[in-house]
Amino acid sequence: MSEQFYTKSVVYQIYIKSFMDSDGDGIGDLKGIVSKLDYLKQLGVDIVWITPFYQSPNHDGGYDISDYQKIGQSYGSMEDFDDLIYKAHQLGLKVILDLVVNHTSNEHPWFQESRSNKENQKRDYYFWRDGRDGKEPNNWGALFGGPAWTLDSKTGQYYLHLFSPSQPDLNWDNENLRQDVYSMMKWWLDKGIDGFRMDVISLISKTAGLPDGEVGTNNYGNSRQWVTNGPKVHDYLREMRNEVLDKYDIVTVGEASGATIDEALKYASVDKSELNMIFQFEHMDLDGGESFKWNDKKINLIELKQCLSKWQTQLFNKAWNSLYWCNHDQPRIVSRLGEEGELREVSAKMLATCIHFMQGTPYIYQGEELGMTNVQFTDVSQLRDLESIDAFHRYTKVERFTEDEMLKMISLKARDNARTPMQWNDKENGGFTQGTPWMDINPNYVQINVEEQLNRLDSVLNYYKNLIELRKSFDIITTGKYELLDKYNPDVYTYIRSTNEEILWVICNFSNQEVTYMNPEYIQEDRSKIILSNYVSRSNTTDTLRPYESKVGIRWVNPNRGKYE
Ligand code: GLC
């Protein structure tokens, strides 16, 4: 992998459980992925990120690992994995895996040993504390709801879990633990994988003393103020860089919720002292986010522009961005910022345009390339995610919301929306499985599916292919300096990317109405070559945009050079 490989790459994220099932048990698997490598190749992506398929009791979709070096039974065997790597590499695709080392499953042998008695060598691999006045050791709430501590009767002490009780947090201050993690990473890298996506890596260093947090609306103290970008996180990542990452030619991306620009400049600095890039969450949190996600707030475009522009300009030449709208933890973007009805395709293409011409490495989450939508959940039994199920019961029980209200918010915000099976064709179960899917497929698979879109030139899928190709053909998409134009326009997102030679401009109408807008002087549509548009017919005006219309043009900076060829 050349030095800058990832700056020119597009990543495709596979949520393995819902991607493709090869053996009819209703759960996606490694062989299923192998059967779709050609699909990924023709799409044009360079790197495939596969979510956890390790041994796990699967309380949190595999993010609760009980053995880092074994394949979970429903996903296949180690031979299947080796075959996947071999075949992906033959096609020129890189494969990165999830590294989940903020916590393990409570079934992991380390935790089993750790809980066995207070003197055990691995006791300190986790956080064990005595209770305080018969209650939890501090007031922290868990990120999935409830307290962040669970009492273990074996030794009468509590253990810390920032997520669910089945996900005890690892203590990174323990050097042996860190060395164990590094050995495990090397083991996978020696098998030939091409890097890691690091789960909640910004949370691994906890402030000494684990002080109480500020009490929020859920009546728990905020743990995030003491664990996000904690005191030693950069030391640990630098150590990991020296001991592991530097020895391999790989790509790394850290999931870093709570990362500010200043933190990102350290995590993802171009000097490569830590990671290659991070996922920041500020733009995803604009409609509620972590403080309390169960609401029906909408993202405001002016705020979104401000946020994304801040990341684009402040990381320029200093650190590298990752670009994303979707992943397995977020609702579907077309339902969130676009539309599900007649304007679904055009809005999905506009959203793709908006993010793909920014600076950074774009991530496409399975089904995003089809414009897959959220689900209208009508009953709690349709949900599979522990977070939404728990929230449903928690908030209806205390009558904060009625069941209908809760289902409505879940249909807008829950992670379940992203996790329905991939829609391959219009046959039973969308071609995902011959068996009964572990989670119901979205009923709209009959209209929205790969097979239908592959051969239709104006499909969302072919639009994504085009976007990926354009990134490869125009260097300015990788290198150009970003500038936001028309920043107070509440409907239109306009930005340019520029080098000394060229200007690339991007105009996106985020509204479902025709809007008039000021065509900024920089753009000079008549002197530009339009390289992409989400409407088939050309608009005959340059001061109105049709619903969700987006267009991208390129022109020379030097007026004497005339029209771009
Ligand atoms: C990350 C994962 C999410 C998981 C959580 C706890 O945010 O993306 O799916 O639930 O970490 O591991």
Side-chain angles (χ1 to χ4, degrees):
M1 216 179 292
S2 79
E3 266 285 278
Q4 298 304 328
F5 174 79
Y6 59 89
T7 63
K8 286 223 113 193
S9 296
V10 177
V11 185
Y12 188 91
Q13 184 194 349
I14 291 184
Y15 188 71
I16 183 168
K17 214 171 170 183
S18 296
F19 189 62
M20 181 65 201
D21 174 24
S22 72
D23 59 4
D25 67 356
I27 297 176
D29 47 38
L30 294 166
K31 278 196 173 130
I33 298 179
V34 171
S35 72
K36 296 297 181 188
L37 287 175
D38 287 339
Y39 169 72
L40 300 174
K41 184 67 194 170
Q42 64 80 40
L43 187 58
V45 297
D46 310 275
I47 302 175
V48 181
W49 152 28
I50 310 176
T51 55
F53 46 78
Y54 315 100
Q55 187 177 294
S56 160
N58 265 304
H59 295 302
D60 182 23
Y63 284 91
D64 47 328
I65 298 170
S66 55
D67 191 328
Y68 287 114
Q69 280 151 276
K70 288 223 170 79
I71 309 283
Q73 221 187 351
S74 32
Y75 300 124
S77 64
M78 199 51 87
E79 289 70 52
D80 296 337
F81 176 79
D82 293 337
D83 187 49
L84 165 62
I85 291 289
Y86 176 75
K87 291 193 169 134
H89 285 173
Q90 273 194 325
L91 290 172
L93 294 166
K94 314 269 178 206
V95 179
I96 66 174
L97 303 188
D98 240 292
L99 179 76
V100 188
V101 288
N102 173 67
H103 46 266
T104 64
S105 158
N106 57 347
E107 294 182 19
H108 194 288
W110 292 345
F111 188 72
Q112 292 303 320
E113 279 190 50
S114 180
R115 69 183 286 238
S116 63
N117 64 70
K118 288 186 181 169
E119 279 70 49
N120 186 279
Q121 270 191 25
K122 296 221 162 36
R123 184 69 171 175
D124 191 41
Y125 270 34
Y126 297 85
F127 295 88
W128 293 98
R129 297 288 185 277
D130 288 327
R132 186 172 63 179
D133 309 325
K135 287 208 273 196
E136 289 81 14
N138 72 16
N139 69 355
W140 293 359
L143 298 171
F144 288 151
W149 296 92
T150 292
L151 178 63
D152 191 38
S153 56
K154 219 163 198 167
T155 53
Q157 283 195 313
Y158 289 80
Y159 65 88
L160 175 70
H161 51 84
L162 292 180
F163 293 90
S164 81
S166 58
Q167 295 163 297
D169 277 61
L170 287 166
N171 175 13
W172 273 71
D173 297 332
N174 182 307
E175 199 182 332
N176 292 338
L177 174 270
R178 299 203 302 278
Q179 288 305 325
D180 278 351
V181 169
Y182 301 155
S183 313
M184 176 270 283
M185 291 172 73
K186 287 188 209 152
W187 186 84
W188 281 106
L189 289 164
D190 290 338
K191 282 179 87 59
I193 66 162
D194 303 292
F196 291 110
R197 173 267 186 188
M198 303 186 184
D199 191 62
V200 289
I201 203 71
S202 53
L203 309 186
I204 58 173
S205 167
K206 279 80 175 163
T207 302
L210 311 178
D212 277 338
E214 218 171 285
V215 178
T217 48
N218 60 1
N219 292 328
Y220 286 106
N222 178 10
S223 60
R224 297 298 303 257
Q225 70 189 99
W226 302 112
V227 301
T228 308
N229 311 312
K232 295 210 184 121
V233 66
H234 298 292
D235 296 342
Y236 295 151
L237 287 176
R238 291 206 171 108
E239 180 183 88
M240 182 195 282
R241 175 106 219 161
N242 288 334
E243 301 220 3
V244 187
L245 309 177
D246 271 343
K247 303 191 191 322
Y248 301 85
D249 189 12
I250 52 173
V251 58
T252 51
V253 50
E255 187 199 24
S257 75
T260 56
I261 296 277
D262 283 348
E263 292 296 334
L265 291 173
K266 295 183 213 154
Y267 285 123
S269 161
V270 287
D271 75 7
K272 302 212 169 50
S273 49
E274 297 182 28
L275 306 175
N276 294 137
M277 59 191 133
I278 57 162
F279 294 122
Q280 61 83 17
F281 279 73
E282 288 184 351
H283 65 308
M284 295 278 92
D285 289 347
L286 291 173
D287 56 3
E290 291 194 330
S291 51
F292 191 72
K293 78 189 251 179
W294 307 112
N295 59 44
D296 55 7
K297 192 173 165 203
K298 281 251 166 210
I299 293 179
N300 167 298
L301 183 65
I302 294 179
E303 281 173 22
L304 179 71
K305 293 199 280 189
Q306 212 171 27
C307 173
L308 290 174
S309 303
K310 179 182 82 180
W311 284 90
Q312 286 290 303
T313 51
Q314 298 194 21
L315 260 49
F316 186 66
N317 281 344
K318 296 188 187 133
W320 191 247
N321 268 301
S322 60
L323 309 171
Y324 75 100
W325 289 131
C326 299
N327 61 39
H328 63 292
D329 294 330
Q330 300 291 338
R332 293 284 179 180
I333 197 64
V334 73
S335 307
R336 193 173 185 180
L337 273 171
E339 252 177 60
E340 291 183 7
E342 260 178 43
L343 295 170
R344 182 184 61 82
E345 290 220 330
V346 80
S347 62
K349 291 175 189 171
M350 180 281 288
L351 290 163
T353 307
C354 181
I355 200 101
H356 274 252
F357 285 96
M358 292 185 187
Q359 186 174 47
T361 301
Y363 286 72
I364 301 171
Y365 176 66
Q366 66 185 47
E368 178 182 347
E369 78 278 23
L370 309 177
M372 270 177 68
T373 68
N374 280 356
V375 184
Q376 290 307 313
F377 294 107
T378 51
D379 195 278
V380 62
S381 64
Q382 295 164 326
L383 307 175
R384 292 289 175 277
D385 181 23
L386 84 173
E387 184 193 31
S388 54
I389 296 173
D390 182 77
F392 178 88
H393 294 300
R394 189 182 299 275
Y395 297 117
T396 53
K397 195 162 146 209
V398 296
E399 294 180 359
R400 181 161 176 176
F401 298 114
T402 65
E403 293 199 354
D404 281 352
E405 282 168 346
M406 210 47 222
L407 285 168
K408 215 165 135 196
M409 288 183 292
I410 283 171
S411 302
L412 289 174
K413 301 276 169 87
R415 309 195 298 182
D416 302 80
N417 287 299
R419 299 180 180 187
T420 58
M422 180 70 177
Q423 301 173 190
W424 294 105
N425 58 40
D426 63 1
K427 312 272 158 26
E428 204 178 352
N429 295 318
F432 162 69
T433 180
Q434 303 288 340
T436 309
W438 72 281
M439 178 178 194
D440 287 347
I441 190 157
N442 191 321
N444 64 20
Y445 73 90
V446 184
Q447 296 86 41
I448 306 173
N449 61 68
V450 171
E451 199 173 280
E452 190 279 325
Q453 295 201 20
L454 266 180
N455 299 320
R456 180 162 55 84
L457 272 182
D458 68 344
S459 66
V460 182
L461 177 56
N462 280 313
Y463 194 87
Y464 267 87
K465 266 168 88 164
N466 203 352
L467 274 177
I468 298 168
E469 263 172 43
L470 288 169
R471 174 167 287 269
K472 305 267 170 332
S473 331
F474 291 95
D475 280 344
I476 190 170
I477 305 175
T478 310
T479 57
K481 189 165 185 234
Y482 170 102
E483 191 184 333
L484 175 68
L485 304 180
D486 205 6
K487 69 177 174 196
Y488 297 112
N489 188 321
D491 300 311
V492 184
Y493 195 150
T494 310
Y495 63 88
I496 56 168
R497 304 284 310 281
S498 59
T499 63
N500 291 336
E501 292 263 283
E502 298 164 318
I503 291 182
L504 175 98
W505 50 263
V506 181
I507 306 178
C508 297
N509 177 9
F510 272 67
S511 107
N512 59 5
Q513 306 293 316
E514 183 166 300
V515 295
T516 50
Y517 74 112
M518 191 193 64
N519 189 341
E521 175 199 354
Y522 275 118
I523 287 178
Q524 303 177 3
E525 209 167 309
D526 52 342
R527 286 192 45 223
S528 306
K529 176 185 163 80
I530 307 285
I531 59 169
L532 190 67
S533 159
N534 63 347
Y535 272 76
V536 182
S537 63
R538 279 291 293 275
S539 171
N540 39 24
T541 69
T542 52
D543 58 1
T544 58
L545 290 168
R546 290 165 281 186
Y548 295 115
E549 179 164 8
S550 60
K551 42 189 171 176
V552 182
I554 190 161
R555 70 172 185 84
W556 298 111
V557 170
N558 179 347
N560 300 328
R561 288 200 69 166
K563 197 166 170 188
Y564 202 99
E565 289 311 327

